[in-house]
Amino acid sequence: MSEPIRVLVTGAAGQIAYSLLFGIAKGDVFGKDQPVILLLLDITPMLPVLEGVVMELQDCALPLLREIVPTDKEEVAFKDLDAAILVGSMPRRDGMERKDLLKANVAIFKSQGTALEKYAKKTVKVLVVGNPANTNCLIAAKSAPSIPKENFSCLTRLDHNRARSQVAMRCSVPATHVKNVIIWGNHSSTQYPDVHHCVVNKSGSELACFDAVKDDAWLKGEFITTVQQRGAAVIKARKLSSAMSAAKAICDHMRDIWTGTSEGDFVSMGVYSTGNSYGVPDDLIYSFPVHIKGKSWKIVEGLDINSFSRTKMDATAAELIEERDTAVAFLGV
């Protein structure tokens, strides 16, 4: 058995965490022989609820779960971390302007970035889930200057999985038979789900997605809007936001960082854009297709971008620039 790793989940009394913590604790993310110490951070009023979550984790009697530390203190939660999954954020309330939402979240993620800087290992891998995830991730990274920017990513794997599943259902194949969908840009309704490089295994042969689906109008229209608006559709149906599927995507994202991606496969994650070869402006957290090896991601190079894709990639970049500039202005306040 390896030494235990220290894994933080914020918003730990919330519904995404409730679906997530069991998967981490039983070895679905960091490996079946990797013991974990779970640090669970939430705001003070949620500590009684968090105590119930701790009881349930104890009652699972999981062999890899060595210790559980529930807390409302950043100096406890961020100490010597190997991995940080930042789920907690300020949700948008009725009548709230987007800039007010950004301002509230800048305060949270500046504070958590500062705590990462002060208390966590410099090798910590940080995944931001709380929305607006891309910009929250950028603020956390800017607030932890001695931790490499490459160690920060935001969750677009849920969008990636949604896109993969839509194609699979359309082609009547398992989702595992669809690979290399791409989510470009922001985890918002401007994101661009791109299947121009996607491959579908149908009846034993690998086909380009457009050849497998045989419905270009659907792929360039309804497919894109379905993926873009899926989160809102879940809220409308459940009266609650995606939790099970978000937790599964978090597990997929962190497992791929820890163990790598298969040869020839790529996944989507929001990463630091500086130096990319796709004409995306620098200093954003923007979702790209990536390969992962040795816990390091690399943006997949050399993919052809047609004019349809270019327009959509630029539109989501423009939204991210606006978000970043608003958020960075608040950083100095």
Side-chain angles (χ1 to χ4, degrees):
M1 278 277 181
S2 320
E3 281 295 300
I5 58 170
R6 295 172 66 84
V7 180
L8 166 66
V9 176
T10 73
Q15 61 151 357
I16 291 176
Y18 190 76
S19 293
L20 170 67
L21 290 167
F22 178 66
I24 295 172
K26 80 179 177 75
D28 290 352
V29 179
F30 299 104
K32 299 294 183 190
D33 57 356
Q34 177 58 68
V36 294
I37 295 167
L38 275 178
L39 296 111
L40 307 179
L41 179 69
D42 216 313
I43 56 175
T44 309
M46 295 302 289
L47 289 181
V49 177
L50 191 55
E51 201 48 55
V53 176
V54 171
M55 285 189 251
E56 285 210 70
L57 283 165
Q58 291 166 340
D59 296 349
C60 289
L62 295 161
L64 294 172
L65 184 54
R66 292 300 161 83
E67 192 182 344
I68 312 164
V69 183
T71 184
D72 57 356
K73 294 179 174 58
E74 287 182 342
E75 63 271 22
V76 174
F78 285 83
K79 184 98 177 90
D80 296 332
L81 291 182
D82 296 284
I85 302 170
L86 308 183
V87 180
S89 65
M90 168 72 80
R92 193 166 190 169
R93 305 231 163 89
D94 277 350
M96 197 182 222
E97 294 286 332
R98 191 169 177 82
K99 68 177 188 315
D100 296 330
L101 182 70
L102 277 168
K103 187 174 188 177
N105 280 297
V106 165
I108 294 167
F109 285 87
K110 179 182 182 180
S111 178
Q112 294 189 351
T114 304
L116 284 163
E117 174 77 8
K118 200 167 174 184
Y119 303 112
K121 293 179 181 173
K122 299 306 176 194
T123 52
V124 65
K125 301 295 185 186
V126 183
L127 167 58
V128 176
V129 179
N131 286 318
N134 299 58
T135 299
N136 288 346
C137 183
L138 186 67
I139 294 302
K142 285 180 179 293
S143 304
S146 71
I147 296 172
K149 295 276 188 290
E150 293 72 33
N151 289 23
F152 288 84
S153 57
C154 84
L155 189 74
T156 57
R157 184 58 169 269
L158 177 52
D159 310 302
H160 180 101
N161 288 349
R162 287 165 170 164
R164 193 179 185 190
S165 175
Q166 288 295 317
V167 170
M169 289 189 293
R170 194 77 175 188
C171 294
S172 302
V173 299
T176 48
H177 287 205
V178 178
K179 68 176 192 178
N180 297 352
V181 300
I182 301 168
I183 303 297
W184 299 99
N186 200 2
H187 174 63
S188 75
S189 59
T190 69
Q191 65 174 263
Y192 170 42
D194 177 9
V195 291
H196 287 92
H197 308 280
C198 168
V199 175
V200 181
N201 187 323
K202 216 171 173 188
S203 310
S205 47
E206 293 212 321
L207 300 172
C209 184
F210 278 84
D211 296 335
V213 171
K214 296 192 175 71
D215 188 341
D216 291 15
W218 181 78
L219 284 171
K220 289 185 166 187
E222 190 186 333
F223 161 73
I224 292 173
T225 54
T226 297
V227 176
Q228 288 173 331
Q229 295 165 15
R230 188 68 158 188
V234 170
I235 290 172
K236 190 175 178 192
R238 274 193 86 220
K239 311 297 181 269
L240 291 164
S241 60
S242 311
M244 180 183 10
S245 54
K248 160 64 165 54
I250 292 165
C251 289
D252 290 346
H253 179 118
M254 286 307 274
R255 186 179 57 250
D256 283 346
I257 286 178
W258 233 251
T259 59
T261 50
S262 305
E263 197 64 41
D265 285 10
F266 43 83
V267 295
S268 305
M269 54 176 69
V271 296
Y272 199 55
S273 65
T274 297
N276 76 88
S277 63
Y278 289 104
V280 174
D282 288 351
D283 199 35
L284 297 173
I285 297 287
Y286 186 101
S287 183
F288 290 94
V290 299
H291 300 296
I292 305 163
K293 195 174 180 182
K295 293 187 186 169
S296 291
W297 54 264
K298 279 198 167 60
I299 294 172
V300 177
E301 298 292 352
L303 300 175
D304 286 334
I305 305 298
N306 63 21
S307 59
F308 178 84
S309 295
R310 180 82 264 160
T311 303
K312 294 198 175 306
M313 288 166 68
D314 290 348
T316 191
E319 181 182 59
L320 279 170
I321 290 167
E322 189 184 341
E323 271 187 29
R324 176 198 64 197
D325 293 349
T326 306
V328 167
F330 290 134
L331 248 192
V333 171

